[in-house]
């Protein structure tokens, strides 16, 4: 499914989010706080667009994704990035090698969420950090109703107009609705071993930024 949408993926996200995805990515970059010489894993990196802020900050970033179609598209655009194929539930990295690990809008698509959170913990250095940016649930009930109407009614026709595989975006709407809310995801992070878990809502809770630390 993701192979099929790779070519127009970034453009489609921009249109469907009304440009908000750029702001969300900026907030991820701030939360990760990548620094020169640090190693950052950007999981579910797709075409590598999400990895660029970490590289520009001077970190060594590894964009990793399960979709070979996404990685091929990313290699055309950013041939200098070390794009890596990998399964989030069995990452192809040694224990404790990354200063920071992050995943944006990808955890929801992993078949075993808890296994992915444990794998992210495993490959992070003691004292390292995780940042998860994912669609969530608006906190204000009237706004939540409007948002869910957009997801189920407006999103599919818009996706048909701009995406090479609109069925993928019907899946997107359904997967967002069934995803755990902010406190539930925080509890799953804690169960995977992460400490100092916290979250911050963006755009009224349409997106949530979860953070955690691996004890030193």
């Amino acid at each position: 499914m993701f192979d099929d949408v790779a070519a127009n993926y970034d453009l489609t996200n921009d249109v469907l989010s009304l440009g908000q995805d750029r702001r969300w990515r900026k907030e991820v970059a701030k939360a990760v706080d990548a620094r020169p010489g640090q190693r950052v894993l950007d999981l579910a990196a797709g075409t590598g667009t999400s990895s660029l802020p970490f590289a520009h900050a001077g970190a060594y970033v590894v964009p990793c994704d399960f979709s070979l179609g996404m990685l091929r598209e990313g290699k055309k655009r950013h041939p200098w990035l070390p794009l890596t194929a990998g399964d989030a539930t069995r990452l192809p990295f040694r224990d404790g090698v990354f200063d920071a690990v992050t995943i944006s809008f990808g955890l929801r698509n992993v078949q075993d969420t808890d296994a992915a959170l444990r794998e992210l913990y495993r490959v992070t250095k003691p004292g390292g950090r995780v940042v998860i940016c994912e669609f969530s649930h608006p906190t204000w009930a009237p706004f939540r109703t409007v948002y869910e109407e957009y997801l189920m009614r407006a999103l599919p026709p818009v996706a048909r107009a701009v995406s090479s595989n609109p069925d993928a975006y019907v899946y997107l709407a359904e997967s967002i609705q069934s995803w755990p809310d902010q406190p539930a995801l925080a509890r799953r992070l804690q169960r995977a071993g992460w400490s100092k878990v916290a979250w911050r809502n963006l755009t009224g809770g349409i997106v949530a930024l979860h953070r955690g630390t691996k004890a030193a």
Side-chain angles (χ1 to χ4, degrees):
M1 181 177 69
F2 284 96
D3 290 352
D4 291 343
V5 300
N8 293 328
Y9 184 71
D10 294 321
L11 170 65
T12 305
N13 288 345
D14 209 25
V15 171
L16 293 178
S17 71
L18 308 177
Q20 286 293 301
D21 64 314
R22 296 181 198 182
R23 180 186 159 231
W24 298 333
R25 292 197 187 283
K26 283 181 185 174
E27 293 300 325
V28 170
K30 278 192 217 168
V32 171
D33 191 25
R35 298 182 187 175
Q38 289 189 335
R39 291 182 181 179
V40 176
L41 171 63
D42 185 15
L43 188 56
T47 61
T49 300
S50 59
S51 302
L52 297 178
F54 313 128
H56 294 157
Y60 178 76
V61 60
V62 178
C64 182
D65 202 280
F66 191 67
S67 164
L68 297 180
M70 286 283 191
L71 294 171
R72 278 193 289 267
E73 186 65 29
K75 205 64 183 172
K76 289 182 203 168
R77 300 181 193 182
H78 318 294
W80 51 277
L81 282 174
L83 291 141
T84 303
D87 178 348
T89 64
R90 296 179 67 189
L91 290 171
F93 309 110
R94 297 194 315 272
D95 296 357
V97 292
F98 293 102
D99 298 282
V101 294
T102 184
I103 180 169
S104 293
F105 308 110
L107 188 60
R108 195 184 69 261
N109 301 318
V110 178
Q111 192 168 15
D112 188 339
T113 303
D114 296 319
L117 292 176
R118 289 192 299 269
E119 275 293 272
L120 285 170
Y121 186 85
R122 178 184 67 78
V123 301
T124 302
K125 292 178 182 179
R129 56 207 182 274
V130 64
V131 175
I132 296 170
C133 183
E134 188 53 89
F135 288 111
S136 199
H137 299 270
T139 52
W140 189 46
F143 179 49
R144 185 165 59 245
T145 301
V146 171
Y147 173 63
E148 288 178 353
E149 285 289 310
Y150 168 74
L151 277 179
M152 299 314 295
R153 297 187 183 214
L155 189 147
V158 172
R160 277 193 288 276
V162 296
S163 171
S164 53
N165 183 357
D167 287 344
Y169 290 89
V170 174
Y171 155 78
L172 170 72
E174 292 172 348
S175 68
I176 290 170
Q177 286 194 314
S178 61
W179 184 244
D181 65 10
Q182 292 89 323
L185 182 55
R187 287 193 292 272
R188 291 175 93 149
L189 275 158
Q190 289 166 334
R191 283 201 301 270
W194 297 97
S195 59
K196 298 180 183 175
V197 174
W199 75 85
R200 183 160 65 91
N201 290 318
L202 303 176
T203 318
I206 286 177
V207 165
L209 211 58
H210 282 73
R211 287 164 294 168
T213 302
K214 183 172 181 175

